[in-house]
Amino acid sequence: MLIDHPLLGLRDASEFVYLGDASLMNRPDATAADASQQFHDYLHLRDNPAGLHRELWYHEQGDRSWLIVTRDTLTHEISHVELARDVSLAHRATDQEGGA
Amino acid sequence: MADMTLKESYPLDSLDTLIGDTRLSAVENLDIVSIALPHTLAPEKTTETRASLDEKLQSAFGLKLTETGTRSSNGDKHSLLGLQPGMWFLVTSRRTREPARTLKTVVRDTAYLTDQSDSWAILDIAGPHAQAALERICPVDIDKSVFDDTRVVRTSMEHLSVIIERPEPERFRLYSPLSSAQSFLHAVRVSLQNAV
Amino acid sequence: MNTATTGLQSARIGTGLLDSTRPVSFQFNGRSYTGLQGDTLASALLANEQRLVGRSFKYHRPRGIFSAGSEEPNALVELGSGAYREPNTRATVTELFEGLEARSQNHRGPLSFDVMAINDHLSSFLSAGFYYKTFMWPKAFWEKVYEPVIRAAAGLGSLSMQEDPDTYDKGFLHADLLIVGAGPSGLAAALTAGRAGLRVIIADDDFLAGGRLNAEQMEVDGMPSAQWAARSHAELCSMPNVRCLLRTSVYGAFDHGIYGALQRCTDHLPDKSSEKPRQILWRIYARQTLLGAGATERSIAFANNDRPGIMLAGAVRTYMNRFGVAPGKEVVVFTNNDDGWRTAADLTRAGVSLAAIIDTRTTSAPMKLPGVRIVMGGQVITTRGRLGLRSVTLHDGQTLPCDCLAVAGGWSPNVHLTCHQRGRPVWRQGIAAFVPGAELPQGMRVIGAANGSLGLSSALTEGHRTAVRIIEASGIGKNTSSSPVAEQESTRITAFWHVSASRGRAWIDLQNDVTTKDIALSFKEGFRSVEHLKRYTTLGMATDQGKTSNVLGLAVMPQLSGKTIQDTGTTIFRPPYTPIPIAALAGRSRGKHFRPVRHTPSHQWAQDNGGDFVETGMWLRAQWYTREGETHWRQSVDREVLQTRRAVGICDVTTLGKIDIQGKDAAAFLDRVYANTFSTLAVGKVRYGLMLREDGFVMDDGTTARLGDTHFLMTTTTANAVSVFRHLEFCRQCLWPEMDVHLISATEQWAQYAIAGPQARALLEGVVDAPFDISNETFPFMACAELTVFNGTPARLFRISFSGELAYELAVPTRYGHSLMEALMQHGKQFDVVAYGTEALGVMRIEKGHAAGNELNGQTTAANLGLGRMVSTKKDCIGAVLSKRPAMNTENAIQLVGFMPEDSAQSLRAGAHFLSEDAEETTANDQGWMTSVAWSPVLNSSIGLGFITNGSNRQGERIKAYDPVRGESYPVRIVSPHFVDPDGERLRG
């Protein structure tokens, strides 16, 4: 497989390490009343879609970026690749706006 | 107090050999310092710090900060390799025992520095068969039509992490972790023997 | 023809594309023959009228040469001798070279009299599913009786059982356009794309570019087709942007335009002593791919259609036109299409006697062949000639004497690579064949015969036109070429598969000996799906992957079911297209080069001083240093432990992972990734850190030093260095991107040595430069400093202890590591210094009760390790929430404690389980297990660490250690895990 790295272009998947569902980015709030349940769900409950899947890949033999790769699990077609840090920062900005 | 001083030694042991028409040589006289750009939540502030760092590096070395995957250099004296978002290697000929400490006086609080001079085994492979040899181990496209002296890539070759650049059309420079220098040398040497 | 240069070669009728000035001698079954440069083994054997070349897989039927290419199912031979022996090599693609040795396979006794041919007479018992049905019972017989017998009888060639003396390589290629196949369509496309400036790779199995252009008497651009092929190939080779890979099989199409290709570099060279790799496995990254793999001819099923001398009609043309060989003296052509007539025409033109052409169609003859007997609407019912064809019998009972039957059953496009991403071919009635379906691997287009566009003109124009489209889409260059011109030959066909009037076995799959009867039987037994049919009969499952047989089998099946071929469908293909040696897949990763090795800077010192190395990950570490007179490793280890605890020892700990962490938020970041707090750590101090996974179990541990306000140095265990770094990057980028934290590995940067023992400070006082002061007052336990040693070398000193002794770790830039080890040992002589290895390190950490890899096995919690109080309740960190789960905090949770045998002669063993002394040895009564054991030379006893239920409240209790694996059971006593200096007075002293 080839992953179209947002900064470096197409790179062989062998340079990357796979982690799993991109929902691992959304670590729950440890101070929430039901934190234990939230962490349980965060850690153990995953969708297993036949189709588009957003997943985390780490460019270990490259620029050490964590990427969010949108891959079709039926065809391996990769339709979108983002820098996880950018997504995380954007997410935070939205949260803050929402909270303000 | 012991009246001794420590001697330097390098695993590639000043290797310099010709395989066919292509030269393979160890490079052991470089200072390498990693430069990390501080980041903040405010993008303007990061941009400001970056501009300031850029200015300091330009005035000290004549090198511009590059994007990830690209390099800038002034001849063989200094080069700046963009390896990660917000992280560069400054590669200079050896001048000091503690290059990070020296560089700190230049960049001050615009960067975090870590000495990497002892972390890498460095090989130059130069000659007509250099590219053909590296095709055996390098998964990244290094054809001269797409890979020139403005590019730098970190990838894996024979299970080893390797940084590759092409300072001249027929010369590549490879950096691989020092501890596996012998395996690295074997990989490159065999590639060259097989390709010439 | 001059017989002096060609040897006997009695079937040679011309020189074709061979070099008639270069005779090549070779051996087959020990007999010497001569061929010509440019021959394949198959063409050279045919030139010498050696037509019997092997025995079939199951029935041991005599077999000859069936095809002229990689589809060959019959002519499999063993090449080479000694360690170079290689079985199951197709004679049709084996390039002849001086001294080549080949042997036929799969017979006991001489090739012409194989005792196993008895199987042929037992054929009614060896039908489809024979093994499944026969060897089911009794069950116990399978391993001991049936399987060994079957294994001895089955299989074709045999292995040398010696190490492969050749070397293999791998490589990576990149192209704008990969063209698979250098036939007419591929060459036309490559010329067009190459001239426009695209980076092109064109690969072909053959050692000569041209494909069918070399096998036919046709013209392209006004010149003989073979000449056009040679000229085009030469032009391509002259282009710097085009890479021509001959002798290269593109064997697989993988995700996203990645292809596998095997290049055979030295197989055709007489000199086997070359240092160069025999084969190279290329991984090709192609933006666009053109599949111009051509088509494969197939046979027709009739009784005894497998005899030597029965050959595909196109192969007959290849042998005549390219190799100048007449495959027989008296030939019959059997066809269902116009292409078969071209074989007849070429035979006539070459002056080979053509007994008849039998066409299954009832139309009028498509061409005039003066003097040739033409039978329209005819069928071949059966054949005769056990070791070689002698005659064929027609539907009307006539028998025609002949020694070669050219069968033309139609051409099947080579769609294999289109299926590798699950594309499914579709049936095209007009050519009676499957063509590529709509779903192709990313970036692939199919051209020429592979696309079902049979005929030379179609191939050339389609190749050219498709290349033009690719050029336009690429934006790289401009097309400057026009399509090569040729006449379009007629390829009309009326599907005809099986001579139903035939009695006796009619072969479909020659290599796996599958006949129409097997297909009928499997259908009768209920195997309706083509996938089931394939697996039950093994149709198409041999090394040729059914290249000549699949379509025929899939066509015979619907005749039984009454369904159409479209409705029956086809099986699809997986990589590899042709067999790939395992050695090529392994490449260079063999023997000691299986994977990289990591050395510490003082590796050489260790080697020179009796070091005995152990692999830990990729690292080689000295596990002990053998001194003269020591005959058992325990002597070395005991000496190292005792001397360290009595005087001072030095251990290379360079392999520990070191991560340089900087940033304004570095301290806060550490608070979040460690269970305990680091923001309170003062500059110049070190703290032990415990890292949890998010599920609350322990991930790793180590010490982290604060070198500055915004600067920390973390150490990890050797084994987890990479995974901890990855985890920290995840936390930094994905969880807390707002933090100003920067990570870089410093593992390689520093050579680090533990200096432990009561004399450690005394030793170091002579090493550390003035004015640095390492007295206990200014440099107490858990202090760290950046300083210089041995008159100016920059260094870092950490006062930490894994052994429980007064200890330090001293780090210098790696280039000084070797010299530092030498200097420390020399300077340390006055303090009776000893070098110790990882084994002594392990003994001392067990004596001290420190957890290591065996205890941090991913299933243990901080509480289990007795470190529960380290998990701060004042802050969130990775693992904090879930480590509080009730089930992980029960009162009877396992806890790390020490164990000693009741009988001091008893050796403890890791892996033993703990039970109450009188409990039955069942899982239900299991209370824990032993994790680490060592012989303690200090206590003169075997000691152990382990986990046991509620362990810390049970010290002094006698229990049973039970080791079902080794069949041992013995009493042990629970003790404190701190066997040595439990109050830590030494390390603080």
Side-chain angles (χ1 to χ4, degrees), chain A residues 36, chain C residues 695 697 859 861 863-864 881-894:
Chain A
S36 181
Chain C
D695 64 5
F697 289 89
Q859 301 173 320
T861 65
N864 296 152
V881 170
L882 293 183
S883 71
K884 299 188 186 80
R885 283 182 283 181
M888 288 166 66
N889 295 281
T890 56
E891 283 200 352
N892 58 356
I894 53 169

Side-chain angles (χ1 to χ4, degrees), chain A residues 1-3 10 12 14 17 19 24-30 35-37 39-40 42-44 56 58 60 63-67 75-78 84-86 88-89 92, chain C residues 172 255-258 283 285 287 421 442 672 694-696 722-723 725-739 745 876-882 885-886:
Chain A
M1 294 211 306
L2 293 171
I3 293 175
L10 290 172
D12 195 298
S14 64
V17 174
L19 180 66
L24 282 167
M25 307 260 298
N26 312 323
R27 188 172 182 270
D29 178 1
S36 181
Q37 184 61 43
F39 268 89
H40 167 272
Y42 161 74
L43 201 60
H44 300 298
L56 284 158
Y58 176 53
E60 187 152 88
D63 77 339
R64 311 275 157 88
S65 284
W66 278 93
L67 304 180
T75 62
H76 285 184
E77 189 194 343
I78 291 172
R85 182 165 186 272
D86 288 353
S88 189
L89 280 170
R92 252 140 233 271
Chain C
F172 304 86
D255 286 306
H256 305 155
I258 300 176
R283 175 182 282 216
Y285 301 86
R287 284 179 199 283
Q421 298 295 314
Q442 185 181 317
R672 294 193 194 177
E694 195 67 275
D695 64 5
V722 171
S723 57
F725 192 94
R726 185 186 305 153
H727 169 70
L728 296 184
E729 280 289 1
F730 173 78
C731 294
R732 182 179 89 94
Q733 295 178 37
C734 300
L735 301 183
W736 309 306
E738 72 282 7
M739 289 187 129
S745 170
D876 178 29
C877 73
I878 298 285
V881 170
L882 293 183
R885 283 182 283 181

Side-chain angles (χ1 to χ4, degrees), chain C residues 666-973:
Chain C
F669 179 77
L670 289 171
D671 281 350
R672 294 193 194 177
V673 296
Y674 272 132
N676 48 328
T677 307
F678 277 78
S679 48
T680 54
L681 185 67
V683 173
K685 291 286 182 190
V686 186
R687 186 168 283 173
Y688 173 78
L690 188 69
M691 207 177 275
L692 305 181
R693 297 192 310 234
E694 195 67 275
D695 64 5
F697 289 89
V698 174
M699 176 162 81
D700 198 56
D701 70 346
T703 57
T704 287
R706 189 164 201 168
L707 301 174
D709 215 28
T710 59
H711 192 182
F712 292 81
L713 183 71
M714 174 188 282
T715 63
T716 72
T717 58
T718 301
N720 289 337
V722 171
S723 57
V724 166
F725 192 94
R726 185 186 305 153
H727 169 70
L728 296 184
E729 280 289 1
F730 173 78
C731 294
R732 182 179 89 94
Q733 295 178 37
C734 300
L735 301 183
W736 309 306
E738 72 282 7
M739 289 187 129
D740 182 37
V741 187
H742 305 268
L743 309 171
I744 187 160
S745 170
T747 306
E748 302 279 334
Q749 180 67 21
W750 299 91
Q752 194 153 319
Y753 298 87
I755 298 146
Q759 294 291 331
R761 184 183 300 119
L763 187 154
L764 275 172
E765 274 166 348
V767 167
V768 167
D769 295 338
F772 298 107
D773 176 8
I774 57 166
S775 66
N776 201 26
E777 294 69 42
T778 50
F779 202 74
F781 183 55
M782 298 309 254
C784 71
E786 296 182 275
L787 37 71
T788 62
V789 295
F790 286 116
N791 303 302
T793 300
R796 287 170 174 175
L797 187 65
F798 310 88
R799 189 167 161 194
I800 51 181
S801 175
F802 198 43
S803 56
E805 295 299 323
L806 164 65
Y808 302 81
E809 288 188 13
L810 176 62
V812 293
T814 306
R815 77 187 88 146
Y816 301 108
H818 175 82
S819 183
L820 176 68
M821 186 67 186
E822 278 184 330
L824 287 174
M825 290 304 290
Q826 195 184 330
H827 172 70
K829 270 185 193 150
Q830 56 192 304
F831 306 102
D832 197 19
V833 70
V834 65
Y836 66 95
T838 55
E839 199 58 37
L841 180 88
V843 170
M844 288 190 277
R845 74 98 187 163
I846 293 170
E847 287 178 338
K848 180 63 186 169
H850 279 310
N854 292 4
E855 288 75 35
L856 310 179
N857 69 347
Q859 301 173 320
T860 51
T861 65
N864 296 152
L865 291 161
L867 303 172
R869 272 174 303 176
M870 282 185 71
V871 183
S872 168
T873 50
K874 296 190 189 116
K875 65 180 179 75
D876 178 29
C877 73
I878 298 285
V881 170
L882 293 183
S883 71
K884 299 188 186 80
R885 283 182 283 181
M888 288 166 66
N889 295 281
T890 56
E891 283 200 352
N892 58 356
I894 53 169
Q895 283 164 337
L896 185 68
V897 285
F899 299 89
M900 286 181 81
E902 286 290 89
D903 173 2
S904 62
Q906 176 71 47
S907 282
L908 303 181
R909 303 244 225 173
H913 280 254
F914 301 126
L915 303 157
S916 296
E917 232 191 333
D918 49 358
E920 199 193 334
E921 288 150 353
T922 64
T923 314
N925 292 331
D926 187 13
Q927 297 191 5
W929 72 99
M930 193 95 76
T931 53
S932 301
V933 299
W935 172 262
S936 166
V938 175
L939 280 78
N940 254 314
S941 168
S942 183
I943 60 170
L945 296 176
F947 293 103
I948 188 166
T949 302
N950 197 18
S952 37
N953 296 321
R954 293 170 64 182
Q955 292 196 8
E957 192 180 320
R958 198 178 130 115
I959 51 154
K960 175 163 63 174
Y962 172 57
D963 189 339
V965 176
R966 301 184 184 92
E968 287 180 333
S969 183
Y970 44 83
V972 295
R973 196 168 294 277

